[in-house]
Amino acid sequence: MSAVPAEDGRTRRPGLREQVVAAVGLLDRPLTSYYLVLGCTFMLLALGLTMVLAASSVKQLQETGSAYTLVQKQAMWMVLGVLGMWGASRLPVRTFRTLAYPLLLLSVVALALVLVPGLNQSANGATRWISFGPVQLQPSEPAKLGLVLWGADILARKERLGQLTEWRPLLMPLLPGAGLLAVLVMLGDDLGTTMVLLTILLALLWVAGAPGRLFVGVVGLVAMVVSILAVVSPYRMARLTGFLDPEGNAHGSYYQGIQGLFAVASGGWFGTGLGEGRAQWGFLPHPETDFIFAIVGEQFGLVGTLVVLHLFGLLAYAGLRIARRVKDPFTRLAAAGATSWLLVQAIVNIGAVIGVFPITGIPLPLVSYGGSALIPTLIALGMLLAFAKREPGARQALAARGPGPVVRALSWLGLARR
């Protein structure tokens, strides 16, 4: 921060209070949300690509002869996702509302196809993927975006009609629609994704201003359903038992959790160094997907994990800031729903790695390996960028900023007008 003039005419360094005031002033700028979403997204993407390489290089070298097999696929999906994010950031709000219903319908059809023998593929007790030869699709990931858009549109229409004060108009057809998605996902034994879908439902109801008793009743219903589903399946019950008694199941159902804790603990303050961890040598199962945070903790230490937490915290702040500042009900609801989806998924993933929650198998957004999760997440973040442009003063600030870097580069080459 630059020096400021003192009363005697000499310059002095600003004090802590002035620095805090200046930092708060930066957060009040019209494009703060836009740049926070953009910056945090690309930093998490860069970290994710690096950690996928660090986590998978040894196994891929042994199995395929190349240490870069998975990271090349992740880079390809990242490029496709960034293109999707860029496209979504340029769409008007009415386009998102138009796409809500087709996306939800396609999600329901795809989730039903997961249950068809011969098309589906199972792993670790869950049937989550549709297999088309070498291509695999996990339809529960775009279903999250479909529920966000459809639920926001339904509640925005009901708010315009003044139907948010009574339980029947408020919950119909939102609750049956979300319930159908949750049932289809649970038929594939994917409790983690079911929890995320139900969290999106609760977030939409909360932001819509559901009456307190109704909201508490829905929370209780969701908690009861999740608890029942957690104990009726043998493999989920084994995971829950391992979580409750980790030492007694260190070599059984909770082996992955124990090894994840060992990896995080062995990182210390600053980590073992990039590519120097022990977990990547086969000690930790699936380190590139749902336990990639353990690799971050081992190789970058406590400092690295805190950086990841702060990036997700800033991303959540930006998303909620957008939801608070925009005027359109659909935009507010969709921004809150997408933010809750990403934040809760990150919390559940990180909590499972550090032993706070049972292992659910859901990925860490933007960091874990997998295109089915990465591309819808980036499209949702592109939607947040589009909404951030609708904050008060954002359009004027963007117009005053002048041409973007692509136009400036073309103008330097004489291929575009300044």
Side-chain angles (χ1 to χ4, degrees):
M1 184 177 292
S2 60
V4 296
E7 294 180 357
D8 57 2
R10 293 178 297 178
T11 59
R12 63 177 178 84
R13 300 296 297 177
L16 177 61
R17 180 179 178 182
E18 293 169 327
Q19 294 179 15
V20 172
V21 170
V24 172
L26 289 175
L27 294 178
D28 285 335
R29 293 185 177 183
L31 292 177
T32 295
S33 303
Y34 183 88
Y35 287 120
L36 280 177
V37 172
L38 198 63
C40 292
T41 297
F42 279 98
M43 283 190 280
L44 286 169
L45 283 175
L47 175 68
L49 201 61
T50 303
M51 300 318 299
V52 167
L53 175 61
S56 65
S57 58
V58 174
K59 183 178 180 181
Q60 292 304 306
L61 184 61
Q62 294 171 345
E63 293 184 352
T64 67
S66 172
Y68 304 101
T69 303
L70 287 191
V71 76
Q72 288 173 348
K73 293 181 180 179
Q74 186 74 353
M76 178 189 66
W77 290 326
M78 188 179 74
V79 170
L80 294 175
V82 169
L83 291 174
M85 181 178 74
W86 176 80
S89 70
R90 303 177 67 85
L91 293 177
V93 172
R94 64 178 180 274
T95 303
F96 292 107
R97 301 189 74 160
T98 302
L99 293 174
Y101 295 83
L103 182 57
L104 185 76
L105 179 61
L106 288 174
S107 298
V108 171
V109 173
L111 287 171
L113 290 177
V114 171
L115 307 176
V116 177
L119 288 179
N120 58 26
Q121 182 173 349
S122 302
N124 302 317
T127 304
R128 306 176 183 176
W129 296 270
I130 303 174
S131 180
F132 300 100
V135 179
Q136 298 175 3
L137 172 68
Q138 187 175 352
S140 60
E141 294 297 332
K144 299 171 187 175
L145 180 59
L147 179 59
V148 167
L149 296 177
W150 178 74
D153 182 70
I154 289 290
L155 291 176
R157 295 175 187 273
K158 291 182 178 295
E159 180 175 334
R160 188 178 69 249
L161 297 174
Q163 297 179 343
L164 297 182
T165 56
E166 298 183 5
W167 72 269
R168 187 181 296 275
L170 180 61
L171 294 181
M172 300 295 175
L174 180 61
L175 186 60
L180 175 61
L181 288 178
V183 168
L184 289 173
V185 172
M186 272 311 305
L187 289 175
D189 284 330
D190 189 355
L191 179 60
T193 302
T194 303
M195 292 172 57
V196 175
L197 290 171
L198 295 176
T199 298
I200 294 172
L201 169 65
L202 293 175
L204 291 172
L205 291 176
W206 176 266
V207 176
R213 289 185 296 177
L214 173 63
F215 186 80
V216 171
V218 175
V219 170
L221 177 63
V222 168
M224 181 181 67
V225 170
V226 170
S227 300
I228 293 173
L229 294 174
V231 299
V232 296
S233 173
Y235 98 94
R236 287 196 296 270
M237 190 62 189
R239 282 186 169 183
L240 183 60
T241 303
F243 169 73
L244 296 175
D245 183 18
E247 294 183 359
N249 295 274
H251 298 285
S253 60
Y254 204 65
Y255 175 79
Q256 186 183 28
I258 290 293
Q259 293 300 318
L261 287 174
F262 284 163
V264 173
S266 63
W269 284 96
F270 301 104
T272 59
L274 183 61
E276 300 294 330
R278 173 178 175 269
Q280 67 192 30
W281 290 87
F283 292 96
L284 177 61
H286 310 293
E288 72 278 359
T289 52
D290 48 323
F291 265 69
I292 200 165
F293 187 75
I295 304 298
V296 175
E298 182 183 38
Q299 300 190 8
F300 290 132
L302 178 64
V303 173
T305 60
L306 291 178
V307 168
V308 173
L309 291 175
H310 277 84
L311 287 174
F312 277 111
L314 288 172
L315 199 57
Y317 167 79
L320 295 177
R321 185 179 188 267
I322 294 169
R324 181 176 61 86
R325 288 167 58 89
V326 294
K327 306 300 182 184
D328 176 54
F330 170 81
T331 306
R332 182 179 71 250
L333 288 161
T339 304
S340 65
W341 153 25
L342 299 177
L343 181 61
V344 169
Q345 187 162 319
I347 290 174
V348 172
N349 176 277
I350 294 171
V353 171
I354 63 176
V356 176
F357 302 131
I359 299 172
T360 58
I362 62 175
L364 185 62
L366 301 173
V367 182
S368 293
Y369 169 79
S372 293
L374 181 63
I375 293 175
T377 299
L378 285 171
I379 292 175
L381 290 167
M383 179 183 70
L384 288 179
L385 290 175
F387 294 168
K389 297 176 185 179
R390 301 179 66 84
E391 290 187 38
R395 291 188 182 277
Q396 294 83 346
L398 284 170
R401 190 181 58 175
V406 175
V407 176
R408 289 199 298 269
L410 292 175
S411 66
W412 292 336
L413 298 173
L415 300 176
R417 294 181 178 180
R418 291 184 180 272

